């Protein structure tokens, strides 16, 4: 994961290192008020040849659904098969700071997901929802094939909604294996209620620190994000310890496990290479 606490000028060497090292996916965020998820994804895709780039997440209160569809459809046309889009509520206090907070985040997310998936499918969309209002909107350049749309969040109501209306779920950071297990059950219930079958990917992230001061750095970063440093939601240690953690999260139901460096990671490029060369070979 390239976290937005890293300055934008560090993205190019990190993306190229991920591409060269054979990393499967590079994830970027859109945190207020750091970096644009779409801009960073586009740059990372342009600088690389094969690595898959995922945006987790775009906060829907900040973004009109037609704009999200236009921007990400462009990415899918430029870099087919290499993009994953995630949308979600965003942090409510940040949405308030930006003047974009809504009374019913669940309603907005449902309306956004339904409209976005229809636009990606090439439909002409007219909707007069509580928040999403479109009048005959149709993408001139939709993706060649309708791509999956992931949605992120926490809490049973949001997770059930992602099962009902999204094609994959991105769990909020700091989710332990037990939280992953419970989330997977809630998502499955939502899909069953909506009559949806097939696979539904579940993405979880682990806060990771390695090196001689790993415990201190991890604890400080967890506190910065208001996560419990003692919770089984992070790992500090060597490659074997991190690989074992990935196995635990996968066994709990995560189909993708993203490794998140701390904000004070001294060498993000070396972190990427360490994940590829030392951690991944030990993951069962």
């Amino acid at each position: 994961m390239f976290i937005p606490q890293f300055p934008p000028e560090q993205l190019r060497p990190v993306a190229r290192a991920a591409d060269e090292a054979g990393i499967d996916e590079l994830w970027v965020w859109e945190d207020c008020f750091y970096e644009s998820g779409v801009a960073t994804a586009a740059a990372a895709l342009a600088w690389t040849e094969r690595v898959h780039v995922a945006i987790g997440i775009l906060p829907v209160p900040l973004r009109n659904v037609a704009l999200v569809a236009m921007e990400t459809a462009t990415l899918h046309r430029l870099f087919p098969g290499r993009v994953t889009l995630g949308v979600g509520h965003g942090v409510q206090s940040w949405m308030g700071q930006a003047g974009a907070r809504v009374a019913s985040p669940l309603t907005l997310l449902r309306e956004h997901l339904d409209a976005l998936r229809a636009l990606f499918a090439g439909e002409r969309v007219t909707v007069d929802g509580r928040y999403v209002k479109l009048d005959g909107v149709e993408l001139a350049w939709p993706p060649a094939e309708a791509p999956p749309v992931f949605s992120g969040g926490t809490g049973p109501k949001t997770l059930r909604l992602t099962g009902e209306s999204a094609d994959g779920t991105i769990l909020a950071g700091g989710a332990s294996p037990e939280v992953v297990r419970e989330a997977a059950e809630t998502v499955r219930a939502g899909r069953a209620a909506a009559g949806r079958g097939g696979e539904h990917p579940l993405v979880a992230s682990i806060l990771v620190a390695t090196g001689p001061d790993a415990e201190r750095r991890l604890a400080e970063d967890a506190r910065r994000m208001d996560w419990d440093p003692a919770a089984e939601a992070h790992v500090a240690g060597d490659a074997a310890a991190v690989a074992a953690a990935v196995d635990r999260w996968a066994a709990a139901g995560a189909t993708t496990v993203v490794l998140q460096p701390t904000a004070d990671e001294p060498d993000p490029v070396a972190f990427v290479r360490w994940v590829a060369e030392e951690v991944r070979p030990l993951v069962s």
Side-chain angles (χ1 to χ4, degrees):
M1 183 181 294
F2 183 87
I3 59 175
Q5 286 73 25
F6 294 156
E9 55 268 26
Q10 288 189 356
L11 175 61
R12 186 172 185 169
V14 169
R16 286 188 165 179
D19 204 45
E20 294 165 2
I23 289 288
D24 295 313
E25 296 181 358
L26 177 66
W27 282 71
V28 297
W29 287 357
E30 182 163 278
D31 262 4
C32 296
F33 299 94
Y34 288 91
E35 295 162 359
S36 159
V38 174
T40 51
L45 288 160
W47 287 326
T48 57
E49 297 294 333
R50 48 148 300 278
V51 68
H52 194 100
V53 177
I55 306 172
I57 61 169
L58 299 181
V60 297
L62 280 179
R63 290 179 165 271
N64 183 283
V65 68
L67 180 61
V68 172
M70 290 163 57
E71 289 188 319
T72 52
T74 300
L75 291 180
H76 283 290
R77 298 283 297 222
L78 289 171
F79 307 100
R82 292 182 57 202
V83 185
T84 293
L85 169 66
V87 297
H89 298 310
V91 177
Q92 294 305 294
S93 61
W94 292 342
M95 298 303 100
Q97 283 182 272
R101 190 166 185 167
V102 299
S104 178
L106 278 171
T107 301
L108 170 56
L109 184 57
R110 184 186 300 277
E111 292 179 355
H112 193 106
L113 284 167
D114 291 346
L116 187 57
R117 293 174 67 222
L119 288 167
F120 279 165
E123 299 177 16
R124 185 177 179 86
V125 181
T126 295
V127 59
D128 185 19
R130 181 175 177 182
Y131 300 108
V132 174
K133 299 179 185 295
L134 300 174
D135 183 8
V137 175
E138 181 180 4
L139 292 176
W141 296 105
E145 295 184 7
V149 177
F150 285 44
S151 183
T154 185
K157 290 182 180 179
T158 298
L159 292 173
R160 187 178 178 91
L161 171 59
T162 67
E164 294 172 357
S165 298
D167 303 306
T169 297
I170 304 168
L171 297 181
S176 67
E178 182 56 33
V179 170
V180 171
R181 192 172 294 108
E182 294 172 357
E185 294 175 0
T186 303
V187 170
R188 280 195 294 269
R191 289 186 67 76
R196 301 184 68 191
E199 296 296 321
H200 185 95
L202 186 65
V203 181
S205 59
I206 309 175
L207 180 62
V208 171
T210 190
D213 59 347
E215 293 281 356
R216 176 193 59 78
R217 289 173 39 236
L218 187 143
E220 290 180 356
D221 221 43
R223 281 191 288 268
R224 177 183 62 83
M225 292 180 286
D226 201 26
W227 297 345
D228 180 3
E232 192 194 359
H234 337 291
V235 58
D238 60 10
V242 175
V246 172
D247 285 340
R248 291 197 302 275
W249 265 257
T255 57
T256 294
V257 180
V258 188
L259 302 186
Q260 174 183 333
T262 59
D264 63 351
E265 166 57 47
D267 190 340
V269 170
F271 181 87
V272 166
R273 291 177 176 150
W274 174 74
V275 169
E277 297 168 5
E278 298 188 40
V279 176
R280 188 172 55 180
L282 301 178
V283 175
S284 62

